[in-house]
Amino acid sequence: MILAAACLTLMGAFLTQSALSPVLPWLEASWGVSHAQAGLLFSAYQAGYILSSALFLVGLDRRQARGEPAHHLLWQAAGLAALAGTAFPLLARGLASGVLLRFLAGVGLGGVYMPGVNLLARMVPSTRRGRFVGTYVASSILAQGLSLAVTGVLAARWGWRAGYLAMGVASWVGPVAGLFWARGSSLVPPRPGGEERAAAARPGPEPARAPGLLEPPPRRLSPWRPGLGVLAAALAYAGHTWELYGQRAWLTPYLAEGLAGEGLGAAVTQAGWLAGTTTLLGAVTTGLGGALSDRWGRPLTAAALLLASSTTTLLLGWIGGWPPPLVWGLLLVSGLTLTADSPIFSIMVTELAPPDGVGRAQAWQTVLGYLSGGISPWVLGLVADRWGWRLAWAAGAAGPWVAMGALAFYALRMRQQAARTVTAP
């Protein structure tokens, strides 16, 4: 029941996040802005997310240390996301006002997404975290897919403001579900150490850990400085978000340009359905990716998914002239792999961080990940304006290779450390 309420809270916060992409062709024409300028609307959202998420996560660590509950913060943040998302189609009249309202919506999401991962991760042991966090993250993908598909249809019939407003109204399910989450849960974040440290202090075998995950490095002198494992996971997440938010921002407009001969309304409707269906596929595999990482190990599962998604993103730039079945097949594989690795990095951060510093570690993940995800839509839009879509999608596909490099570097360092430990007298 708690997991269901958490998922609905997150879905509400995410509904307007993806509503911008389907209406972008109309908005660009109405406001007279370029792809690069429109990318600022996505970047502003991520900037708000980074700021609030970091503050919320650090606050969670402090509340945990004092034994105070924190669930009420999530429904309040979901309420801000819903309010700003509803206000955007009603009040935004140009780039400046649009950037401000998107920033505030991002602030709201920042108080829901990663703090929710934090609280859920504290509820379950390491061997089950993949399933719980994977389901939670999958609910956000479901919301994004629905938003992409439905907003385009409504905008083609009644205008972009009406399509966006429908998602804004629907997003109020978030704070309502958040209230049920707060009131229905008796969970108080555990004091420093949590379940796994308490278990380690008792005689007997150590608590089970997911396979393929190396032990966290020793705590550094500064509680704000991330360990190597946390830093590697956060950098891998940054590579993932670079690709993810670049594609989320521009896939619908890109497909609509290819279908422009059918008229703008019909093109956006078809593109929205294609992008939405692609996104919805990720809701299934995101939960599955977390569960598979429980069995096969976090780094190995993530690396396989990163390689597959980067290949499909690169190929997006070459689909002009492809027969429709091949395009659908590419979008199918892209949808299945693009977000499937998302919960894995979040789980790695919670497992590699010191038990009393999970919030601070997630703050590093948020800042690096969403700084990358905030810059990506602007960069891809700029590259598309100047050099075309092939180079833009190639730039998007570079993110997963950065992620795989970070994971490989960490694995190599840990193997070298293990070898020195074995050979030491």
Side-chain angles (χ1 to χ4, degrees):
M1 189 67 181
I2 291 175
L3 181 59
C7 290
L8 285 173
T9 305
L10 186 62
M11 288 181 69
F14 261 102
L15 278 173
T16 58
Q17 190 239 28
S18 294
L20 179 62
S21 186
V23 305
L24 208 55
W26 287 290
L27 186 147
E28 287 177 338
S30 174
W31 293 356
V33 296
S34 66
H35 288 337
Q37 290 173 314
L40 294 174
L41 295 168
F42 297 99
S43 298
Y45 192 99
Q46 305 291 27
Y49 176 91
I50 292 169
L51 176 64
S52 70
S53 187
L55 293 175
F56 269 96
L57 289 166
V58 172
L60 283 179
D61 276 351
R62 294 175 179 171
R63 285 178 173 273
Q64 176 202 11
R66 297 193 298 263
E68 297 177 358
H71 290 80
H72 66 284
L73 298 175
L74 274 71
W75 76 260
Q76 293 170 359
L80 175 60
L83 181 62
T86 305
F88 183 87
L90 298 176
L91 302 179
R93 289 295 181 268
L95 194 59
S97 57
V99 163
L100 175 61
L101 290 169
R102 289 285 293 180
F103 175 84
L104 292 175
V107 169
L109 179 65
V112 179
Y113 186 25
M114 280 296 174
V117 171
N118 184 304
L119 294 173
L120 288 174
R122 298 182 193 277
M123 294 172 56
V124 292
S126 174
T127 51
R128 295 174 57 207
R129 266 181 214 145
R131 278 164 282 179
F132 264 69
V133 176
T135 301
Y136 178 72
V137 175
S139 68
S140 72
I141 309 301
L142 177 62
Q144 292 174 69
L146 290 172
S147 179
L148 286 168
V150 175
T151 304
V153 174
L154 296 178
R157 178 168 294 186
W158 291 300
W160 76 263
R161 292 185 184 275
Y164 200 113
L165 181 61
M167 294 300 102
V169 172
S171 70
W172 286 95
V173 70
V176 173
L179 274 172
F180 281 99
W181 185 2
R183 293 180 178 179
S185 175
S186 59
L187 174 68
V188 174
R191 303 189 73 83
E195 173 188 356
E196 291 171 350
R197 177 176 284 183
R202 296 193 294 268
E206 294 184 359
R209 297 178 62 85
L213 186 64
L214 299 166
E215 291 295 320
R219 178 73 174 269
R220 292 178 178 265
L221 293 177
S222 171
W224 289 99
R225 188 179 303 173
L228 181 60
V230 169
L231 183 59
L235 287 172
Y237 186 69
H240 158 76
T241 56
W242 174 274
E243 178 190 38
L244 173 63
Y245 286 103
Q247 188 178 137
R248 282 283 184 273
W250 292 113
L251 182 59
T252 301
Y254 172 63
L255 294 175
E257 284 187 17
L259 298 166
E262 303 180 24
L264 182 58
V268 172
T269 298
Q270 291 186 46
W273 274 108
L274 283 171
T277 303
T278 300
T279 304
L280 286 171
L281 291 171
V284 177
T285 52
T286 298
L288 182 60
L292 288 176
S293 73
D294 286 339
R295 177 173 297 183
W296 294 345
R298 315 288 190 217
L300 179 61
T301 307
L305 292 168
L306 286 165
L307 180 61
S309 67
S310 67
T311 303
T312 60
T313 298
L314 178 64
L315 290 174
L316 281 173
W318 299 84
I319 61 175
W322 285 19
L326 278 182
V327 176
W328 300 335
L330 181 66
L331 293 175
L332 172 66
V333 177
S334 177
L336 291 172
T337 58
L338 181 65
T339 58
D341 53 345
S342 187
I344 300 175
F345 306 117
S346 299
I347 301 163
M348 288 179 67
V349 168
T350 64
E351 291 175 341
L352 291 168
D356 58 343
V358 173
R360 289 187 292 275
Q362 287 184 303
W364 274 102
Q365 178 192 3
T366 297
V367 170
L368 292 177
Y370 281 85
L371 182 62
S372 171
I375 295 172
S376 175
W378 174 74
V379 171
L380 267 62
L382 182 64
V383 173
D385 280 339
R386 294 190 177 183
W387 298 291
W389 284 110
R390 286 184 179 176
L391 281 179
W393 291 121
W401 288 93
V402 174
M404 288 185 281
L407 294 176
F409 175 77
Y410 177 61
L412 179 61
R413 288 291 299 270
M414 291 300 100
R415 287 186 181 181
Q416 291 173 344
Q417 180 178 320
R420 286 195 297 266
T421 302
V422 170
T423 58

